[in-house]
Amino acid sequence: MSGIPCALMRGGTSKGGIFLASDLPAEPALRDDLLLRIMGSPDIRQIDGLGGAHPLTSKVGVVSLSEDPDADVDYLFLQVAVDQPVVSTSQTCGNILAAVAPFAIERGLVPALEGRTVVRVRMVNTGTVAALAVRTPGREVTYHGEAEISGVPGTAAPIEVALDPAAGALLPTGNLVDRIAGVEATLIDNGMASVLVRAADLGLAGDEAPASLEADAEVVRRIAEIRAAAFPLMGIEGTPETTTTPKIVLLSAAAAGGTLRTRSFIPFRVHEAIGVLGAASVAAGARLAGTVADGLATLPADGEPMRIEHPTGFLDLYVDPHPDDPARVGESRVVRTARMIMDGKVHPRP
Ligand code: NQM
């Protein structure tokens, strides 16, 4: 039994297998076939693999040294579908990104400095770069610390994440609001292709539990209609069946002192929290006057973070206004935590 070197890590509110690219086949079809067998897909319980039977725990990060002078490492994100034989590269993941930085240090791709080590990561899926500051006392990664993030029990070492603005158009249709599938929507991409819709426009309060939204056949049907209408307008490659974008995010006024309250369809299951880049895209929508968030969002005072409320708490992040263009936004900054859960060898299903 030889097995494949693999770290099982939590990154933010997600979990997945993190691999060195050199430990996986270079050919995408062979790599994807192997990852399906490693994660235990397709199977709603993923009983025969590493996957946790939910999209948030069926994720893979592939890491290698970068040739980009602006980055230390390249990070390819792969979403392994739970119940379909599908592996998608159509999005990146800002939560798993938080695991990639300590992994790169642990594997010796980036030398640890005394105290704090910044890892510059090129997100291969989107072409944008993020800088992550990892605590490295004694030149070793520590996962222990005082940072708390909603959706994860306990505390851990903070990882400060600074995300460049998305490389492509923030508003793919050029409009602040489009009318699609009979509803007003803001199609926006600040790192995650997202469709912002007012919960009230679908007859919802916006405080519904993820399971109750998933169980509501009419809501599920409307979300699918909205996604199908948005898909061709957002310049997303592939087909709605084999991609995981756009995400549909329902907005309502904040209920706990934040900027906005959200419920995110990613795109079939409802997120228990919210994705990092998903939140950055919502926050960008809140920053621009005239989007569907206008009138619902309560913007923070200068210097304060935007607080995106979600089903298990909130995600605080800074999305700077653009210095000279009111139709764009600047850098996004957020604190995440990560943990090495297991580092060893995984034995794929034959
Ligand atoms: O938006 C879930 C997650 C994500 C994505 C998803 C993410 C992000 O929470 O940056 O992190 O939207 O599929 O892992």
Side-chain angles (χ1 to χ4, degrees), residues 13-14 56 59 79 91-95 192 247 266 271 274-278:
T13 50
S14 287
L56 298 176
K59 300 191 165 223
Q79 180 71 54
Q91 68 170 90
T92 187
C93 173
N95 273 307
M192 184 65 68
K247 315 287 175 180
I266 59 167
H271 207 306
I274 189 168
V276 172
L277 291 151

Side-chain angles (χ1 to χ4, degrees), residues 6-22:
C6 166
L8 182 67
M9 296 184 76
R10 175 180 66 76
T13 50
S14 287
K15 187 160 66 176
I18 317 291
F19 298 85
L20 285 177
S22 51

Side-chain angles (χ1 to χ4, degrees), residues 9-292:
M9 296 184 76
R10 175 180 66 76
T13 50
S14 287
K15 187 160 66 176
I18 317 291
F19 298 85
L20 285 177
S22 51
D23 289 327
L24 292 175
E27 160 62 41
L30 294 179
R31 176 200 66 205
D32 292 354
D33 172 67
L34 177 64
L35 290 174
L36 287 166
R37 290 183 285 117
I38 286 175
M39 299 306 276
S41 296
D43 167 29
I44 52 163
R45 290 193 299 149
Q46 292 183 315
I47 195 67
D48 213 16
L50 283 185
H54 191 285
L56 298 176
T57 50
S58 184
K59 300 191 165 223
V60 167
V62 182
V63 184
S64 55
L65 279 173
S66 184
E67 289 179 2
D68 183 337
D70 291 334
D72 301 304
V73 292
D74 281 354
Y75 150 50
L76 174 69
F77 172 71
L78 296 144
Q79 180 71 54
V80 179
V82 173
D83 57 351
Q84 306 286 328
V86 171
V87 178
S88 172
T89 56
S90 66
Q91 68 170 90
T92 187
C93 173
N95 273 307
I96 290 296
L97 170 68
V100 164
F103 175 86
I105 300 171
E106 301 258 26
R107 286 286 190 270
L109 299 183
V110 176
L113 306 180
E114 179 52 50
R116 184 175 183 268
T117 304
V118 175
V119 181
R120 296 169 310 155
V121 181
R122 188 173 77 97
M123 292 181 273
V124 174
N125 307 71
T126 57
T128 51
V129 173
L132 292 94
V134 179
R135 279 200 192 158
T136 47
R139 295 181 176 236
E140 281 190 15
V141 173
T142 182
Y143 296 96
H144 304 299
E146 70 295 349
E148 243 180 280
I149 61 172
S150 297
V152 180
T155 63
I159 297 176
E160 294 153 35
V161 186
L163 298 151
D164 281 356
L170 180 61
L171 296 169
T173 62
N175 302 323
L176 290 159
V177 174
D178 287 284
R179 194 165 179 86
I180 55 167
V183 80
E184 286 192 340
T186 295
L187 280 46
I188 195 159
D189 184 346
N190 188 25
M192 184 65 68
S194 303
V195 179
L196 314 184
V197 174
R198 295 183 203 97
D201 290 349
L202 298 186
L204 296 166
D207 64 348
E208 291 79 5
S212 106
L213 291 170
E214 289 174 1
D216 186 328
E218 179 57 13
V219 169
V220 169
R221 188 185 68 76
R222 290 292 287 131
I223 295 293
E225 267 179 9
I226 293 167
R227 181 162 176 264
F231 195 88
L233 302 177
M234 296 190 79
I236 299 168
E237 283 173 24
T239 64
E241 293 73 35
T242 54
T243 62
T244 54
T245 55
K247 315 287 175 180
I248 313 295
V249 187
L250 305 184
L251 304 182
S252 53
T259 306
L260 276 169
R261 180 170 58 187
T262 59
R263 294 292 184 265
S264 312
F265 287 77
I266 59 167
F268 308 110
R269 301 297 303 268
V270 178
H271 207 306
E272 297 294 331
I274 189 168
V276 172
L277 291 151
S281 299
V282 169
R287 275 263 172 250
L288 304 185
T291 69
V292 293

